[in-house]
Amino acid sequence: MAWQKATGYGQRSRGEAQIGRYKQVSGSELRSRKLETQTTETKIAVKALNRMIHLGRATYERVA
């Protein structure tokens, strides 16, 4: 556990999990061709993901 704290592993792991969730919501590729519409598409996907997270996430307890 000490090496995880020392290297910031937990932050990286959470970041990778968020990217995985984003890809589940929006897919792995953008469908739009123009930068402006790609930006809008990304904002919509992020808003949907944030809403799902806000609605509820499984709770857990660490067992030592």
Side-chain angles (χ1 to χ4, degrees):
M1 295 304 287
W3 71 270
Q4 291 179 353
K5 289 182 181 179
T7 61
Y9 178 80
Q11 266 188 321
R12 178 180 171 193
S13 177
R14 283 191 299 271
E16 289 178 1
Q18 283 296 89
I19 294 297
R21 288 185 194 106
Y22 175 85
K23 287 183 176 182
Q24 281 183 326
V25 170
S26 66
S28 61
E29 297 177 359
L30 295 173
R31 291 160 186 83
S32 306
R33 292 181 183 250
K34 294 182 182 178
L35 180 60
E36 182 181 345
T37 52
Q38 286 179 348
T39 304
T40 303
E41 182 180 344
T42 304
K43 286 180 181 180
I44 291 168
V46 169
K47 194 167 188 167
L49 180 61
N50 286 338
R51 185 176 176 124
M52 288 190 304
I53 290 170
H54 180 72
L55 289 174
R57 191 182 303 178
T59 57
Y60 64 94
E61 291 184 23
R62 185 179 193 124
V63 178

